[in-house]
Amino acid sequence: MASDIPYQTSLPLGAQLHRLLAAIGLRPRAAVILVPYLWLTIFFVVPCFIILKISLAQTLIAQPPYTPMLGPDSVPHEQIFDNFKRLGNDLLYIVAYGNSLKLAAISTVLCLLIGYPMAYGIARCSPSTRSLLLLAIILPFWTSFLIRVYAWMSILGKEGVLNDFLLAIGVINEPLQILYTPTAMYIGIVYAYLPFMILPLYSNLEKMDMSLLEAAADLGCRPFKAFCVITIPLSLPGIIAGSLLVFIPAVGEYVIPELLGGPDALMIGRVVYNEFSQNRDWPMSSAVAVAILLALVIPIMLFQYFQNKAQEAPK
Amino acid sequence: MAAERARAETTTQVWNDPNAKPYIRIENVTKKFGDFVAVNDVSLNIYRGELFALLGGSGCGKTTLLRMLAGFEQPTSGKIYIDDVDMADIPPYERPTNMMFQSYALFPHMTVEQNVAFGLKQDKTPAEQVKTRVGSILDMVQMRQFAHRKPHQLSGGQRQRVALARSLVKEPKLLLLDEPLGALDKKLREATQFEIMNIQDRLGITFIVVTHDQEEAMTLSTRIGVMNSGQIVQVGTPKEIYEYPNTKFVADFIGSVNLFEGHIVEDEPGHVLISAPEAGTEIYIDHGISSAPGAKVWVAIRPEKMDLTKNRPDDSDRNSAPGIVKGIAYMGNLSVYLIKLDSGKEVKVTMSNQRRAAEHAIDWDDRVYVTWHANSPVALLS
Ligand SMILES: Nc1ncnc2c1ncn2[C@@H]1O[C@H](COP(=O)(O)OP(=O)(O)OP(=O)(O)O)[C@@H](O)[C@H]1O
Ligand SMILES: [Mg+2]
């Protein structure tokens, strides 16, 4: 074919790119991976280190409001972890951490209990119904998160839609105080994070080979037991992925507790915000954030690492 | 082949006993998927202790029929009885059947051992017994040393053996095997066939085995049901199916066959004479078939029932078709000759190599006569 062309003046674009990459010492495969890695490095890893750096500094009335890393104004070595020591000694922080973890854990369990049947149901529908239902799950994302939380305020409030309805049908005689209670907070978080539970679960359950359930039934296993011993274990990766996607952001959630929870809802997100904007204590605020990051992400990463290893290992 | 088919003949032929009660009764079962008819008005009786082979091309409805027996699909119409119980409202987990899936359907999160033990555990079999039974069945399929592997760490043939073991271990009254041996090599397949026959003899389990492989069906089964596009076209012992196919489809599907189109010239109780221009000779068969004279028929003759000779036979206008040798394939114990008849039709003739050496060697491009005995051809009306 190529011999039909009398003069080959230029190489195809792909080949040119290859040469260019080779010239700067890169294989094409490496180049493809490089882009997302660069992105992650610039917008995730570097900011993390900046926050880590700030968390090791002290406040200063200056611009920026913390001591530099080096130079005469820098923090003496022996005081470098002072912020973290304060974290451990002050009950306020510990209570805030506890509240946040509890909120996130309970919300994750609620999301799982509500989301699993939904994901299961969607995965068992006919393909056309399936995409319609998935669209319904994703649809709320088209409106602003904040607006949706405000909508919940008007639903749950003393003169809100829910109370009006319950009063009208005579279930209650006095409006219920739901807004500004932990209940409202749970409703808000479960509502906001449910799609993050449903989507990974759905994509896992949808792939499941239905003939496995037939095989189980064939061997004398009743449907409910088959669900417990076949479906649930096989959907474990989906359960873990969904739970992490709900749990991790729920720990640091700021808006929902702030708007739906009462003024006494002391969450770690609020602590970070208060330290940062009201106290102008950037280093303390950063230390709170770094501590929660380390406390959450490292155990989760280790867990996943060992889980993968256990799955790969042949006996 | 004779040795293989001997098995069917030595077993008592329950299906010919009018007083025998069938273990499985399939009555006018039809299964439609939308407008598509996957199984079309199938009626079949299978007796206790039989090893019934379902044979047929891809997509002819074999798996669908098994799935209805196992309870995963409901017939669109018709009835299935197992041991005189109507299966319509019986869920799969309460049927006296175990099925081996064509796709194996092994539980990916369980080891080989756990997969095989699964069925026994559903029956609350004591742990000790589970262990010994799983062990012995894994020995049988030669998978003991892989007992602790997960399915994704096995080869295709190993997975197939695990699936087979999983369905066998419960020793149900009725075993449904969907292509149980397709992925195994010849030696392992023969050993496993032998084991399956052993189990059948020892436990009296009734088997229905789906296979693509006609030789396997011949070896294993007491009877064969040949399926074509959703219908059962013939049921019979391997010998009946091979020697007396009832349609062109069956003759062509089972083994290799030469088919000639022709029409009936004479049809007497003692013989038929068929004019077949394609063969270039009149075909004389030494038994009647009772059909109208002039009716269109197809004559099927197996390649091993044909003979080759270089000399013009005496009664050369009957059962001797002249042609030219166009190819010879050496197959070890026998050779296959491809002969182009004068009509242009090509036929296959097999001869054992002992005879080939003994007689005058027949070579490429030789002019030969293809001959056969008057009892060899089968006349088929459809
Ligand atoms: N769930 C289904 N929906 C629609 N059509 C189906 C379904 N299951 C099977 N069929 C169709 O029914 C026909 C018979 O299928 P079946 O699986 O019984 O074939 P088979 O004889 O087992 O073939 P093979 O030897 O290839 O396994 C096929 O044409 C198939 O496309
Ligand atoms: Mg099939």
Side-chain angles (χ1 to χ4, degrees), chain A residues 211-212 214-223 225 229-230 233-234 311-315, chain B residues 67 72 92-94 97-99 101 105-110 118-119 122 148 153 166 170:
Chain A
S211 68
L212 296 179
E214 291 180 344
D218 188 64
L219 293 165
C221 188
R222 288 169 173 275
K225 192 172 176 207
V229 299
I230 309 287
L234 285 177
Q311 268 178 359
E312 279 163 22
K315 281 202 190 167
Chain B
R67 288 174 58 80
F72 307 133
Y93 49 87
E94 281 172 2
T97 61
N98 278 157
M99 174 155 167
F101 289 70
L106 296 176
F107 306 126
H109 58 302
M110 297 184 193
F118 187 88
Q122 303 313 311
H148 297 290
Q153 296 161 332
R166 190 178 69 178
K170 282 188 82 174

mmCIF file of all heavy atoms in Angstrom, chain A residues 211-212 214-223 225 229-230 233-234 311-315, chain B residues 67 72 92-94 97-99 101 105-110 118-119 122 148 153 166 170:
data_model
loop_
_atom_site.group_PDB
_atom_site.id
_atom_site.type_symbol
_atom_site.label_atom_id
_atom_site.label_comp_id
_atom_site.label_asym_id
_atom_site.label_seq_id
_atom_site.Cartn_x
_atom_site.Cartn_y
_atom_site.Cartn_z
ATOM 1 N N SER A 211 -27.064 -16.766 36.788
ATOM 2 C CA SER A 211 -27.081 -18.226 36.820
ATOM 3 C C SER A 211 -26.492 -18.757 38.130
ATOM 4 O O SER A 211 -26.732 -19.903 38.489
ATOM 5 C CB SER A 211 -26.336 -18.800 35.616
ATOM 6 O OG SER A 211 -24.971 -18.528 35.717
ATOM 7 N N LEU A 212 -25.754 -17.912 38.858
ATOM 8 C CA LEU A 212 -25.242 -18.356 40.158
ATOM 9 C C LEU A 212 -26.391 -18.590 41.132
ATOM 10 O O LEU A 212 -26.359 -19.532 41.927
ATOM 11 C CB LEU A 212 -24.273 -17.317 40.735
ATOM 12 C CG LEU A 212 -23.007 -17.089 39.931
ATOM 13 C CD1 LEU A 212 -22.159 -16.023 40.584
ATOM 14 C CD2 LEU A 212 -22.224 -18.385 39.826
ATOM 15 N N GLU A 214 -29.371 -19.369 40.213
ATOM 16 C CA GLU A 214 -30.042 -20.582 39.736
ATOM 17 C C GLU A 214 -29.296 -21.810 40.233
ATOM 18 O O GLU A 214 -29.908 -22.781 40.680
ATOM 19 C CB GLU A 214 -30.103 -20.592 38.208
ATOM 20 C CG GLU A 214 -31.025 -19.536 37.652
ATOM 21 C CD GLU A 214 -31.081 -19.551 36.131
ATOM 22 O OE1 GLU A 214 -30.206 -20.167 35.496
ATOM 23 O OE2 GLU A 214 -32.001 -18.937 35.590
ATOM 24 N N ALA A 215 -27.975 -21.752 40.143
ATOM 25 C CA ALA A 215 -27.171 -22.891 40.599
ATOM 26 C C ALA A 215 -27.425 -23.133 42.081
ATOM 27 O O ALA A 215 -27.571 -24.274 42.516
ATOM 28 C CB ALA A 215 -25.695 -22.638 40.339
ATOM 29 N N ALA A 216 -27.495 -22.057 42.866
ATOM 30 C CA ALA A 216 -27.734 -22.210 44.296
ATOM 31 C C ALA A 216 -29.096 -22.850 44.534
ATOM 32 O O ALA A 216 -29.227 -23.790 45.326
ATOM 33 C CB ALA A 216 -27.644 -20.863 44.991
ATOM 34 N N ALA A 217 -30.108 -22.364 43.825
ATOM 35 C CA ALA A 217 -31.452 -22.921 43.982
ATOM 36 C C ALA A 217 -31.451 -24.391 43.579
ATOM 37 O O ALA A 217 -32.050 -25.233 44.246
ATOM 38 C CB ALA A 217 -32.445 -22.149 43.130
ATOM 39 N N ASP A 218 -30.744 -24.681 42.514
ATOM 40 C CA ASP A 218 -30.682 -26.045 42.022
ATOM 41 C C ASP A 218 -30.097 -26.987 43.069
ATOM 42 O O ASP A 218 -30.475 -28.142 43.174
ATOM 43 C CB ASP A 218 -29.828 -26.080 40.752
ATOM 44 C CG ASP A 218 -29.884 -27.435 40.090
ATOM 45 O OD1 ASP A 218 -30.981 -27.806 39.666
ATOM 46 O OD2 ASP A 218 -28.844 -28.106 40.015
ATOM 47 N N LEU A 219 -29.155 -26.460 43.849
ATOM 48 C CA LEU A 219 -28.506 -27.293 44.863
ATOM 49 C C LEU A 219 -29.302 -27.294 46.169
ATOM 50 O O LEU A 219 -28.810 -27.742 47.196
ATOM 51 C CB LEU A 219 -27.079 -26.805 45.100
ATOM 52 C CG LEU A 219 -26.156 -27.002 43.884
ATOM 53 C CD1 LEU A 219 -24.896 -26.192 44.022
ATOM 54 C CD2 LEU A 219 -25.821 -28.477 43.714
ATOM 55 N N GLY A 220 -30.504 -26.739 46.132
ATOM 56 C CA GLY A 220 -31.391 -26.844 47.283
ATOM 57 C C GLY A 220 -31.399 -25.636 48.201
ATOM 58 O O GLY A 220 -31.850 -25.726 49.340
ATOM 59 N N CYS A 221 -30.902 -24.511 47.731
ATOM 60 C CA CYS A 221 -30.789 -23.330 48.580
ATOM 61 C C CYS A 221 -31.986 -22.425 48.319
ATOM 62 O O CYS A 221 -32.268 -22.065 47.181
ATOM 63 C CB CYS A 221 -29.484 -22.619 48.228
ATOM 64 S SG CYS A 221 -29.076 -21.273 49.311
ATOM 65 N N ARG A 222 -32.673 -22.013 49.387
ATOM 66 C CA ARG A 222 -33.838 -21.145 49.220
ATOM 67 C C ARG A 222 -33.407 -19.729 48.869
ATOM 68 O O ARG A 222 -32.294 -19.327 49.190
ATOM 69 C CB ARG A 222 -34.659 -21.135 50.508
ATOM 70 C CG ARG A 222 -35.370 -22.433 50.678
ATOM 71 C CD ARG A 222 -35.988 -22.595 52.035
ATOM 72 N NE ARG A 222 -36.773 -23.822 51.982
ATOM 73 C CZ ARG A 222 -38.024 -23.863 51.520
ATOM 74 N NH1 ARG A 222 -38.629 -22.771 51.134
ATOM 75 N NH2 ARG A 222 -38.653 -25.011 51.456
ATOM 76 N N PRO A 223 -34.324 -18.966 48.224
ATOM 77 C CA PRO A 223 -33.932 -17.647 47.709
ATOM 78 C C PRO A 223 -33.312 -16.721 48.761
ATOM 79 O O PRO A 223 -32.290 -16.085 48.507
ATOM 80 C CB PRO A 223 -35.245 -17.071 47.181
ATOM 81 C CG PRO A 223 -36.048 -18.261 46.823
ATOM 82 C CD PRO A 223 -35.681 -19.338 47.795
ATOM 83 N N LYS A 225 -31.756 -17.406 51.550
ATOM 84 C CA LYS A 225 -30.424 -17.862 51.938
ATOM 85 C C LYS A 225 -29.430 -17.628 50.801
ATOM 86 O O LYS A 225 -28.291 -17.234 51.031
ATOM 87 C CB LYS A 225 -30.465 -19.338 52.313
ATOM 88 C CG LYS A 225 -29.180 -19.748 52.976
ATOM 89 C CD LYS A 225 -29.212 -21.129 53.549
ATOM 90 C CE LYS A 225 -27.837 -21.462 54.086
ATOM 91 N NZ LYS A 225 -27.572 -22.888 54.079
ATOM 92 N N VAL A 229 -25.839 -15.837 51.082
ATOM 93 C CA VAL A 229 -24.548 -16.508 50.899
ATOM 94 C C VAL A 229 -23.937 -16.293 49.515
ATOM 95 O O VAL A 229 -22.767 -16.581 49.316
ATOM 96 C CB VAL A 229 -24.610 -18.020 51.213
ATOM 97 C CG1 VAL A 229 -25.001 -18.249 52.653
ATOM 98 C CG2 VAL A 229 -25.542 -18.736 50.268
ATOM 99 N N ILE A 230 -24.728 -15.817 48.558
ATOM 100 C CA ILE A 230 -24.187 -15.591 47.210
ATOM 101 C C ILE A 230 -24.177 -14.097 46.878
ATOM 102 O O ILE A 230 -23.121 -13.508 46.645
ATOM 103 C CB ILE A 230 -24.999 -16.348 46.127
ATOM 104 C CG1 ILE A 230 -25.164 -17.811 46.488
ATOM 105 C CG2 ILE A 230 -24.366 -16.164 44.753
ATOM 106 C CD1 ILE A 230 -23.946 -18.661 46.355
ATOM 107 N N PRO A 233 -22.100 -11.627 49.588
ATOM 108 C CA PRO A 233 -20.629 -11.725 49.481
ATOM 109 C C PRO A 233 -20.085 -11.231 48.140
ATOM 110 O O PRO A 233 -19.041 -10.590 48.094
ATOM 111 C CB PRO A 233 -20.352 -13.223 49.643
ATOM 112 C CG PRO A 233 -21.539 -13.781 50.300
ATOM 113 C CD PRO A 233 -22.704 -12.924 49.939
ATOM 114 N N LEU A 234 -20.817 -11.510 47.070
ATOM 115 C CA LEU A 234 -20.311 -11.091 45.760
ATOM 116 C C LEU A 234 -20.422 -9.583 45.576
ATOM 117 O O LEU A 234 -19.691 -9.004 44.773
ATOM 118 C CB LEU A 234 -21.059 -11.808 44.637
ATOM 119 C CG LEU A 234 -20.660 -13.267 44.446
ATOM 120 C CD1 LEU A 234 -21.491 -13.909 43.369
ATOM 121 C CD2 LEU A 234 -19.181 -13.369 44.097
ATOM 122 N N GLN A 311 -7.060 -11.356 48.387
ATOM 123 C CA GLN A 311 -7.829 -11.903 47.278
ATOM 124 C C GLN A 311 -6.930 -12.517 46.212
ATOM 125 O O GLN A 311 -7.296 -13.476 45.566
ATOM 126 C CB GLN A 311 -8.691 -10.811 46.647
ATOM 127 C CG GLN A 311 -10.068 -10.762 47.280
ATOM 128 C CD GLN A 311 -10.924 -9.664 46.711
ATOM 129 O OE1 GLN A 311 -10.493 -8.917 45.849
ATOM 130 N NE2 GLN A 311 -12.132 -9.575 47.203
ATOM 131 N N GLU A 312 -5.776 -11.894 46.025
ATOM 132 C CA GLU A 312 -4.900 -12.368 44.957
ATOM 133 C C GLU A 312 -4.206 -13.675 45.312
ATOM 134 O O GLU A 312 -3.977 -14.509 44.461
ATOM 135 C CB GLU A 312 -3.841 -11.302 44.626
ATOM 136 C CG GLU A 312 -4.383 -10.230 43.703
ATOM 137 C CD GLU A 312 -3.507 -8.999 43.724
ATOM 138 O OE1 GLU A 312 -2.328 -9.114 44.090
ATOM 139 O OE2 GLU A 312 -4.015 -7.931 43.386
ATOM 140 N N ALA A 313 -3.863 -13.792 46.599
ATOM 141 C CA ALA A 313 -3.004 -14.902 46.984
ATOM 142 C C ALA A 313 -3.658 -16.255 46.724
ATOM 143 O O ALA A 313 -4.717 -16.543 47.262
ATOM 144 C CB ALA A 313 -2.669 -14.768 48.473
ATOM 145 N N PRO A 314 -3.053 -17.100 45.884
ATOM 146 C CA PRO A 314 -3.567 -18.464 45.750
ATOM 147 C C PRO A 314 -3.083 -19.294 46.923
ATOM 148 O O PRO A 314 -2.023 -19.025 47.483
ATOM 149 C CB PRO A 314 -2.949 -18.949 44.440
ATOM 150 C CG PRO A 314 -1.721 -18.126 44.268
ATOM 151 C CD PRO A 314 -1.871 -16.854 45.067
ATOM 152 N N LYS A 315 -3.884 -20.254 47.288
ATOM 153 C CA LYS A 315 -3.473 -21.066 48.417
ATOM 154 C C LYS A 315 -2.667 -22.273 47.949
ATOM 155 O O LYS A 315 -2.885 -22.742 46.857
ATOM 156 C CB LYS A 315 -4.719 -21.547 49.155
ATOM 157 C CG LYS A 315 -5.287 -20.464 50.029
ATOM 158 C CD LYS A 315 -6.156 -21.074 51.124
ATOM 159 C CE LYS A 315 -6.939 -20.023 51.867
ATOM 160 N NZ LYS A 315 -7.975 -20.631 52.675
ATOM 161 N N ARG B 67 -33.539 -26.662 31.256
ATOM 162 C CA ARG B 67 -33.880 -25.622 32.233
ATOM 163 C C ARG B 67 -35.339 -25.748 32.680
ATOM 164 O O ARG B 67 -35.668 -25.406 33.814
ATOM 165 C CB ARG B 67 -33.618 -24.233 31.649
ATOM 166 C CG ARG B 67 -32.110 -23.921 31.541
ATOM 167 C CD ARG B 67 -31.875 -22.611 30.823
ATOM 168 N NE ARG B 67 -32.532 -21.490 31.471
ATOM 169 C CZ ARG B 67 -32.061 -20.867 32.536
ATOM 170 N NH1 ARG B 67 -30.915 -21.246 33.052
ATOM 171 N NH2 ARG B 67 -32.725 -19.875 33.070
ATOM 172 N N PHE B 72 -36.030 -23.663 36.067
ATOM 173 C CA PHE B 72 -35.639 -22.267 35.881
ATOM 174 C C PHE B 72 -36.510 -21.565 34.851
ATOM 175 O O PHE B 72 -36.529 -20.343 34.785
ATOM 176 C CB PHE B 72 -34.180 -22.149 35.449
ATOM 177 C CG PHE B 72 -33.252 -22.862 36.361
ATOM 178 C CD1 PHE B 72 -32.271 -23.697 35.863
ATOM 179 C CD2 PHE B 72 -33.366 -22.714 37.725
ATOM 180 C CE1 PHE B 72 -31.432 -24.377 36.710
ATOM 181 C CE2 PHE B 72 -32.533 -23.387 38.577
ATOM 182 C CZ PHE B 72 -31.562 -24.220 38.063
ATOM 183 N N PRO B 92 -37.234 -24.732 41.880
ATOM 184 C CA PRO B 92 -36.021 -25.518 41.623
ATOM 185 C C PRO B 92 -35.436 -26.137 42.884
ATOM 186 O O PRO B 92 -34.947 -27.266 42.843
ATOM 187 C CB PRO B 92 -35.037 -24.492 41.053
ATOM 188 C CG PRO B 92 -35.862 -23.382 40.545
ATOM 189 C CD PRO B 92 -37.139 -23.386 41.325
ATOM 190 N N TYR B 93 -35.500 -25.389 44.019
ATOM 191 C CA TYR B 93 -34.818 -25.901 45.216
ATOM 192 C C TYR B 93 -35.577 -27.046 45.876
ATOM 193 O O TYR B 93 -35.128 -27.603 46.857
ATOM 194 C CB TYR B 93 -34.537 -24.777 46.222
ATOM 195 C CG TYR B 93 -35.717 -23.897 46.535
ATOM 196 C CD1 TYR B 93 -36.616 -24.214 47.531
ATOM 197 C CD2 TYR B 93 -35.917 -22.706 45.822
ATOM 198 C CE1 TYR B 93 -37.694 -23.411 47.810
ATOM 199 C CE2 TYR B 93 -36.997 -21.891 46.093
ATOM 200 C CZ TYR B 93 -37.888 -22.259 47.091
ATOM 201 O OH TYR B 93 -38.958 -21.448 47.362
ATOM 202 N N GLU B 94 -36.761 -27.366 45.339
ATOM 203 C CA GLU B 94 -37.468 -28.519 45.893
ATOM 204 C C GLU B 94 -37.576 -29.667 44.898
ATOM 205 O O GLU B 94 -38.215 -30.668 45.182
ATOM 206 C CB GLU B 94 -38.860 -28.091 46.361
ATOM 207 C CG GLU B 94 -38.794 -27.384 47.705
ATOM 208 C CD GLU B 94 -40.120 -26.785 48.121
ATOM 209 O OE1 GLU B 94 -41.110 -26.939 47.386
ATOM 210 O OE2 GLU B 94 -40.139 -26.149 49.186
ATOM 211 N N THR B 97 -33.782 -32.793 41.339
ATOM 212 C CA THR B 97 -32.843 -32.732 40.218
ATOM 213 C C THR B 97 -31.611 -31.930 40.608
ATOM 214 O O THR B 97 -31.679 -31.058 41.468
ATOM 215 C CB THR B 97 -33.473 -32.004 39.022
ATOM 216 O OG1 THR B 97 -33.798 -30.681 39.417
ATOM 217 C CG2 THR B 97 -34.720 -32.689 38.547
ATOM 218 N N ASN B 98 -30.525 -32.221 39.955
ATOM 219 C CA ASN B 98 -29.355 -31.336 39.993
ATOM 220 C C ASN B 98 -28.915 -31.131 38.569
ATOM 221 O O ASN B 98 -28.987 -32.042 37.748
ATOM 222 C CB ASN B 98 -28.203 -31.922 40.807
ATOM 223 C CG ASN B 98 -28.385 -31.691 42.296
ATOM 224 O OD1 ASN B 98 -27.838 -32.405 43.105
ATOM 225 N ND2 ASN B 98 -29.183 -30.702 42.648
ATOM 226 N N MET B 99 -28.477 -29.917 38.294
ATOM 227 C CA MET B 99 -28.113 -29.602 36.918
ATOM 228 C C MET B 99 -26.665 -29.137 36.880
ATOM 229 O O MET B 99 -26.202 -28.421 37.752
ATOM 230 C CB MET B 99 -29.026 -28.482 36.418
ATOM 231 C CG MET B 99 -28.644 -27.965 35.046
ATOM 232 S SD MET B 99 -30.091 -27.252 34.235
ATOM 233 C CE MET B 99 -29.304 -26.400 32.899
ATOM 234 N N PHE B 101 -24.447 -26.761 34.731
ATOM 235 C CA PHE B 101 -24.699 -25.688 33.773
ATOM 236 C C PHE B 101 -23.663 -25.690 32.667
ATOM 237 O O PHE B 101 -22.486 -25.952 32.902
ATOM 238 C CB PHE B 101 -24.665 -24.332 34.489
ATOM 239 C CG PHE B 101 -25.840 -24.113 35.396
ATOM 240 C CD1 PHE B 101 -25.964 -24.833 36.560
ATOM 241 C CD2 PHE B 101 -26.811 -23.197 35.073
ATOM 242 C CE1 PHE B 101 -27.044 -24.644 37.395
ATOM 243 C CE2 PHE B 101 -27.895 -22.990 35.903
ATOM 244 C CZ PHE B 101 -28.016 -23.719 37.064
ATOM 245 N N ALA B 105 -21.389 -21.956 36.035
ATOM 246 C CA ALA B 105 -21.994 -21.224 37.149
ATOM 247 C C ALA B 105 -21.370 -21.600 38.487
ATOM 248 O O ALA B 105 -22.070 -21.833 39.472
ATOM 249 C CB ALA B 105 -23.515 -21.433 37.180
ATOM 250 N N LEU B 106 -20.053 -21.643 38.533
ATOM 251 C CA LEU B 106 -19.372 -21.898 39.805
ATOM 252 C C LEU B 106 -19.404 -20.619 40.637
ATOM 253 O O LEU B 106 -19.331 -19.522 40.091
ATOM 254 C CB LEU B 106 -17.921 -22.307 39.555
ATOM 255 C CG LEU B 106 -17.737 -23.616 38.802
ATOM 256 C CD1 LEU B 106 -16.261 -23.857 38.526
ATOM 257 C CD2 LEU B 106 -18.314 -24.773 39.583
ATOM 258 N N PHE B 107 -19.505 -20.768 41.953
ATOM 259 C CA PHE B 107 -19.527 -19.594 42.823
ATOM 260 C C PHE B 107 -18.114 -19.020 42.911
ATOM 261 O O PHE B 107 -17.217 -19.672 43.450
ATOM 262 C CB PHE B 107 -20.044 -19.966 44.205
ATOM 263 C CG PHE B 107 -21.380 -20.658 44.168
ATOM 264 C CD1 PHE B 107 -21.566 -21.876 44.777
ATOM 265 C CD2 PHE B 107 -22.445 -20.088 43.488
ATOM 266 C CE1 PHE B 107 -22.797 -22.523 44.726
ATOM 267 C CE2 PHE B 107 -23.682 -20.722 43.429
ATOM 268 C CZ PHE B 107 -23.844 -21.946 44.054
ATOM 269 N N PRO B 108 -17.906 -17.807 42.411
ATOM 270 C CA PRO B 108 -16.536 -17.309 42.287
ATOM 271 C C PRO B 108 -15.862 -17.015 43.625
ATOM 272 O O PRO B 108 -14.648 -16.985 43.690
ATOM 273 C CB PRO B 108 -16.683 -16.030 41.458
ATOM 274 C CG PRO B 108 -18.113 -15.657 41.546
ATOM 275 C CD PRO B 108 -18.897 -16.888 41.847
ATOM 276 N N HIS B 109 -16.671 -16.797 44.675
ATOM 277 C CA HIS B 109 -16.060 -16.442 45.957
ATOM 278 C C HIS B 109 -15.807 -17.657 46.830
ATOM 279 O O HIS B 109 -15.403 -17.524 47.974
ATOM 280 C CB HIS B 109 -16.929 -15.432 46.691
ATOM 281 C CG HIS B 109 -18.334 -15.931 46.948
ATOM 282 N ND1 HIS B 109 -19.173 -16.330 45.932
ATOM 283 C CD2 HIS B 109 -19.029 -16.099 48.086
ATOM 284 C CE1 HIS B 109 -20.333 -16.711 46.447
ATOM 285 N NE2 HIS B 109 -20.267 -16.579 47.757
ATOM 286 N N MET B 110 -16.061 -18.834 46.295
ATOM 287 C CA MET B 110 -15.838 -20.036 47.096
ATOM 288 C C MET B 110 -14.749 -20.887 46.458
ATOM 289 O O MET B 110 -14.583 -20.878 45.244
ATOM 290 C CB MET B 110 -17.117 -20.867 47.157
ATOM 291 C CG MET B 110 -18.267 -20.171 47.844
ATOM 292 S SD MET B 110 -19.648 -21.310 47.951
ATOM 293 C CE MET B 110 -20.954 -20.192 48.403
ATOM 294 N N PHE B 118 -21.367 -27.180 48.703
ATOM 295 C CA PHE B 118 -22.526 -26.283 48.864
ATOM 296 C C PHE B 118 -23.856 -27.040 48.923
ATOM 297 O O PHE B 118 -24.671 -26.831 49.826
ATOM 298 C CB PHE B 118 -22.539 -25.272 47.716
ATOM 299 C CG PHE B 118 -23.577 -24.200 47.867
ATOM 300 C CD1 PHE B 118 -23.289 -23.029 48.558
ATOM 301 C CD2 PHE B 118 -24.844 -24.352 47.321
ATOM 302 C CE1 PHE B 118 -24.244 -22.045 48.700
ATOM 303 C CE2 PHE B 118 -25.805 -23.362 47.469
ATOM 304 C CZ PHE B 118 -25.505 -22.209 48.155
ATOM 305 N N GLY B 119 -24.056 -27.927 47.959
ATOM 306 C CA GLY B 119 -25.330 -28.637 47.879
ATOM 307 C C GLY B 119 -25.561 -29.529 49.087
ATOM 308 O O GLY B 119 -26.670 -29.593 49.623
ATOM 309 N N GLN B 122 -26.703 -27.601 52.103
ATOM 310 C CA GLN B 122 -28.098 -27.167 52.105
ATOM 311 C C GLN B 122 -28.994 -28.237 52.727
ATOM 312 O O GLN B 122 -30.030 -27.929 53.282
ATOM 313 C CB GLN B 122 -28.583 -26.861 50.681
ATOM 314 C CG GLN B 122 -27.763 -25.832 49.939
ATOM 315 C CD GLN B 122 -27.469 -24.597 50.760
ATOM 316 O OE1 GLN B 122 -28.367 -24.021 51.362
ATOM 317 N NE2 GLN B 122 -26.209 -24.194 50.812
ATOM 318 N N HIS B 148 -8.395 -26.210 47.158
ATOM 319 C CA HIS B 148 -8.411 -24.913 47.843
ATOM 320 C C HIS B 148 -8.284 -23.735 46.901
ATOM 321 O O HIS B 148 -8.097 -22.608 47.342
ATOM 322 C CB HIS B 148 -7.324 -24.876 48.919
ATOM 323 C CG HIS B 148 -7.566 -25.897 49.980
ATOM 324 N ND1 HIS B 148 -8.607 -25.781 50.867
ATOM 325 C CD2 HIS B 148 -6.960 -27.072 50.262
ATOM 326 C CE1 HIS B 148 -8.622 -26.832 51.668
ATOM 327 N NE2 HIS B 148 -7.627 -27.642 51.315
ATOM 328 N N GLN B 153 -8.866 -19.382 39.337
ATOM 329 C CA GLN B 153 -7.482 -19.874 39.259
ATOM 330 C C GLN B 153 -7.406 -21.225 38.552
ATOM 331 O O GLN B 153 -6.392 -21.904 38.635
ATOM 332 C CB GLN B 153 -6.911 -20.004 40.674
ATOM 333 C CG GLN B 153 -6.808 -18.672 41.371
ATOM 334 C CD GLN B 153 -6.704 -18.807 42.868
ATOM 335 O OE1 GLN B 153 -7.185 -19.760 43.455
ATOM 336 N NE2 GLN B 153 -6.080 -17.823 43.500
ATOM 337 N N ARG B 166 -19.824 -30.902 41.368
ATOM 338 C CA ARG B 166 -20.821 -30.235 42.205
ATOM 339 C C ARG B 166 -22.220 -30.796 41.948
ATOM 340 O O ARG B 166 -23.030 -30.891 42.859
ATOM 341 C CB ARG B 166 -20.790 -28.724 41.936
ATOM 342 C CG ARG B 166 -21.613 -27.936 42.907
ATOM 343 C CD ARG B 166 -21.529 -26.457 42.664
ATOM 344 N NE ARG B 166 -22.184 -26.086 41.421
ATOM 345 C CZ ARG B 166 -22.297 -24.832 40.985
ATOM 346 N NH1 ARG B 166 -21.775 -23.845 41.688
ATOM 347 N NH2 ARG B 166 -22.898 -24.567 39.858
ATOM 348 N N LYS B 170 -24.447 -34.662 45.100
ATOM 349 C CA LYS B 170 -25.681 -34.853 45.870
ATOM 350 C C LYS B 170 -26.413 -36.140 45.501
ATOM 351 O O LYS B 170 -27.372 -36.505 46.153
ATOM 352 C CB LYS B 170 -26.620 -33.666 45.670
ATOM 353 C CG LYS B 170 -26.204 -32.463 46.491
ATOM 354 C CD LYS B 170 -27.246 -31.370 46.433
ATOM 355 C CE LYS B 170 -28.368 -31.633 47.411
ATOM 356 N NZ LYS B 170 -29.305 -30.484 47.461
#
